[in-house]
Amino acid sequence: MSTPQSLLIRHAEIILPNNESMIGDVLIEGRHITQIGQEITNATPSREIDAQGLTLLPGVIDPQVHFREPGLEYKEDLFTASCACAKGGVTSFLEMPNTRPLTINQSALDDKLQRAAQKCLVNYGFFIGATADNLPDLLSAQPTPGIKIFMGSMHGDLLVSQEETLEAIFAQGSRLIAVHAEDQARIKQRKQEFAGITDMAVHSQIQDNLAALLATQLALKLSKKYQRRLHILHMSTAEEAELLREDKPSWVTAEVTPQHLLLNTSAYATIGSLAQMNPPLRSAYDNEVLWQALRDGIIDFIATDHAPHTLEEKAQTYPNTPSGMPGVETSLPLMLTAAMDGKCTVAQVVQWMSKAVAVAYGIANKGEITPGYDADLVLVDLKNYREVKREEVVSKCGWNSFEGWNLTGWPVTTIVGGEIVYDHGQLNTQVRGQALTFS
């Protein structure tokens, strides 16, 4: 019987589950963390990393990404996206169903899982998408973190905007429901009001704060009626945050993206369509209210909504420009830079980007640096700053909305299941993640 590979990380500043930190060592044997201490002397590891001056965090679990495979691989695919994850310290992801074909039944889910097993450098899970008539699939498909409902900002079968159809989904089963909360009727009306305007800043007026609030109110109403586990994806408005501050049942969670915390409508003037996404960017006031809601626990965690498009597509004239931006390479440095700027603490970033996600989706043994937990880890440099550069982007789309930003907390080494997948700028593309399971 062969001895499992072992790895000893020495002299790191380790962020512990109790929100404290210590300078010490972490021993990994096989896929798991086996020992943590100020100085581990009873081990003969296969490999050592001297992490002097670096900070060791649990790997990021990104709970909302669009990796475009199958069907849209010219924008991104599971291999390129997982390479971008490894570079960004993201060791697990949950991917959305708006691929081609749509992920709306067991066979489509199985196909994605098989593709991921062959291509993904990091761990993976896939949502199943709701349509008006696939309730049996929503009840039976597995493994999946939950049901994704597009209440707005969608065309075709994945648009589920009628209350009676939504209620039928909420009424049956117990699986988590994650909603893209924008009111389609409001969006349709506003599109007519602003027809003919090609200034893309109008995007935030068409899909305005009220469109988001109306949909979140409806989802919350149905969740309360059936006490159904609800997750609100990429919350973007002050109004939604205040709604949850007043009325948030224990079974409801919410997330926010770095871009909705750090960018606002002023970005249209500087980066144009690279600022266009759904739900849209909001005001500086919304930024601040969302930050406070996150710090107060009203919003539970961070997701990127990584949704790349080609530069050619983004170069079209509004409203033909597609909505979405990449995010997995920069989300952790963005949040750690915010921590260094006093917006939050490093321990809070760990909670929002790792632990809280694992708890919300029932992902066992991830999100903490604890003996027995999976060795999904990232060493980051919090002492040096580096600019976001287009030529360094790994994502297939080849651009990033935060180009030119000077960030700290860049990953130096990323570890997935005890294997080094990224180290000092080099990817180990032989590593493969595993399918996540959900309780």
Side-chain angles (χ1 to χ4, degrees), residues 46 200-201 239 313 350:
S46 311
M200 66 189 54
E239 290 88 342
E313 289 170 323
V350 168

Side-chain angles (χ1 to χ4, degrees), residues 208-372:
D208 65 353
N209 288 40
L210 182 57
L213 178 63
L214 289 170
T216 295
Q217 287 173 328
L218 175 56
L220 188 61
K221 181 181 84 168
L222 293 173
S223 173
K224 289 166 67 177
K225 181 174 181 178
Y226 295 101
Q227 295 197 20
R228 183 66 180 268
R229 176 75 176 86
L230 172 67
H231 178 66
I232 301 162
L233 298 160
H234 45 41
M235 183 172 285
S236 64
T237 72
E239 290 88 342
E240 292 169 285
E242 293 306 326
L243 172 67
L244 286 196
R245 189 178 290 278
E246 296 167 11
D247 183 14
K248 187 188 179 192
S250 60
W251 59 86
V252 173
T253 52
E255 71 187 28
V256 67
T257 70
Q259 52 269 34
H260 284 120
L261 294 171
L262 299 168
L263 296 176
N264 52 58
T265 51
S266 66
Y268 291 120
T270 54
I271 60 172
S273 63
L274 303 191
Q276 183 185 329
M277 65 173 296
N278 296 331
L281 298 179
R282 309 298 186 185
S283 70
Y285 173 73
D286 291 288
N287 293 152
E288 291 308 312
V289 174
L290 291 168
W291 264 114
Q292 194 59 52
L294 183 62
R295 287 189 290 259
D296 291 345
I298 306 303
I299 297 173
D300 300 271
F301 48 84
I302 300 287
T304 64
D305 192 21
H306 177 100
H309 300 282
T310 67
L311 284 167
E312 290 75 16
E313 289 170 323
K314 283 288 193 177
Q316 297 176 88
T317 302
Y318 188 83
N320 299 315
T321 44
S323 293
M325 59 181 71
V328 294
E329 287 175 71
T330 48
S331 59
L332 183 57
L334 284 166
M335 293 306 297
L336 290 173
T337 302
M340 294 300 100
D341 290 344
K343 284 280 195 180
C344 57
T345 66
V346 173
Q348 283 175 312
V349 173
V350 168
Q351 172 70 15
W352 298 332
M353 302 191 78
S354 302
K355 177 63 176 177
V357 183
V359 170
Y361 285 103
I363 306 170
N365 299 320
K366 293 192 187 295
E368 288 184 10
I369 303 178
T370 299

Side-chain angles (χ1 to χ4, degrees), residues 30-339:
R31 299 188 61 84
H32 301 104
I33 299 165
T34 57
Q35 197 176 154
I36 301 169
Q38 288 186 329
E39 186 178 10
I40 294 174
T41 57
N42 61 342
T44 53
S46 311
R47 181 170 176 179
E48 285 193 20
I49 295 175
D50 183 357
Q52 184 81 39
L54 301 177
T55 303
L56 186 65
L57 313 175
V60 172
I61 306 171
D62 191 333
Q64 192 196 173
V65 300
H66 301 264
F67 283 171
R68 308 306 193 195
E69 183 176 350
L72 299 164
E73 288 92 340
Y74 72 94
K75 300 176 193 275
E76 188 81 278
D77 60 56
L78 288 168
F79 175 73
T80 60
S82 66
C83 287
C85 284
K87 183 186 173 216
V90 176
T91 55
S92 300
F93 66 79
L94 305 181
E95 206 260 355
M96 291 296 163
N98 53 326
T99 45
R100 297 178 184 172
L102 304 174
T103 316
I104 55 176
N105 52 43
Q106 187 69 53
S107 63
L109 179 60
D110 288 342
D111 176 64
K112 275 191 175 176
L113 288 164
Q114 290 163 10
R115 289 168 181 266
Q118 296 169 355
K119 296 184 175 186
C120 280
L121 281 61
V122 302
N123 306 308
Y124 47 87
F126 299 98
F127 278 86
I128 186 159
T131 71
D133 54 11
N134 74 332
L135 187 54
D137 299 286
L138 301 182
L139 296 171
S140 63
Q142 59 180 328
T144 183
I147 298 162
K148 167 66 178 289
I149 301 180
F150 286 91
M151 299 174 72
S153 296
M154 177 54 65
H155 304 284
D157 289 345
L158 282 183
L159 176 62
V160 184
S161 58
Q162 300 301 313
E163 183 170 348
E164 58 270 25
T165 310
L166 290 163
E167 181 154 8
I169 298 169
F170 273 84
Q172 294 191 54
S174 58
R175 180 166 281 168
L176 177 147
I177 294 173
V179 294
H180 179 126
E182 289 189 278
D183 184 84
Q184 189 68 11
R186 171 94 180 155
I187 294 171
K188 185 177 179 181
Q189 170 203 332
R190 301 281 284 178
K191 280 183 175 178
Q192 293 171 348
E193 292 176 18
F194 292 94
I197 298 176
T198 58
D199 177 0
M200 66 189 54
V202 79
H203 186 65
S204 293
Q205 295 175 263
I206 293 171
Q207 296 177 215
D208 65 353
N209 288 40
L210 182 57
L213 178 63
L214 289 170
T216 295
Q217 287 173 328
L218 175 56
L220 188 61
K221 181 181 84 168
L222 293 173
S223 173
K224 289 166 67 177
K225 181 174 181 178
Y226 295 101
Q227 295 197 20
R228 183 66 180 268
R229 176 75 176 86
L230 172 67
H231 178 66
I232 301 162
L233 298 160
H234 45 41
M235 183 172 285
S236 64
T237 72
E239 290 88 342
E240 292 169 285
E242 293 306 326
L243 172 67
L244 286 196
R245 189 178 290 278
E246 296 167 11
D247 183 14
K248 187 188 179 192
S250 60
W251 59 86
V252 173
T253 52
E255 71 187 28
V256 67
T257 70
Q259 52 269 34
H260 284 120
L261 294 171
L262 299 168
L263 296 176
N264 52 58
T265 51
S266 66
Y268 291 120
T270 54
I271 60 172
S273 63
L274 303 191
Q276 183 185 329
M277 65 173 296
N278 296 331
L281 298 179
R282 309 298 186 185
S283 70
Y285 173 73
D286 291 288
N287 293 152
E288 291 308 312
V289 174
L290 291 168
W291 264 114
Q292 194 59 52
L294 183 62
R295 287 189 290 259
D296 291 345
I298 306 303
I299 297 173
D300 300 271
F301 48 84
I302 300 287
T304 64
D305 192 21
H306 177 100
H309 300 282
T310 67
L311 284 167
E312 290 75 16
E313 289 170 323
K314 283 288 193 177
Q316 297 176 88
T317 302
Y318 188 83
N320 299 315
T321 44
S323 293
M325 59 181 71
V328 294
E329 287 175 71
T330 48
S331 59
L332 183 57
L334 284 166
M335 293 306 297
L336 290 173
T337 302

Side-chain angles (χ1 to χ4, degrees), residues 352-410:
W352 298 332
M353 302 191 78
S354 302
K355 177 63 176 177
V357 183
V359 170
Y361 285 103
I363 306 170
N365 299 320
K366 293 192 187 295
E368 288 184 10
I369 303 178
T370 299
Y373 271 55
D374 295 340
D376 297 337
L377 302 165
V378 57
L379 276 167
V380 300
D381 180 358
L382 287 171
K383 294 182 170 58
N384 294 296
Y385 282 72
R386 200 173 79 244
E387 193 176 307
V388 181
K389 295 181 179 179
R390 179 169 292 192
E391 58 267 26
E392 295 178 0
V393 170
V394 171
S395 176
K396 188 182 282 189
C397 69
W399 57 273
N400 188 284
S401 298
F402 292 93
E403 289 166 32
W405 286 47
N406 200 34
L407 304 180
T408 190
W410 289 98

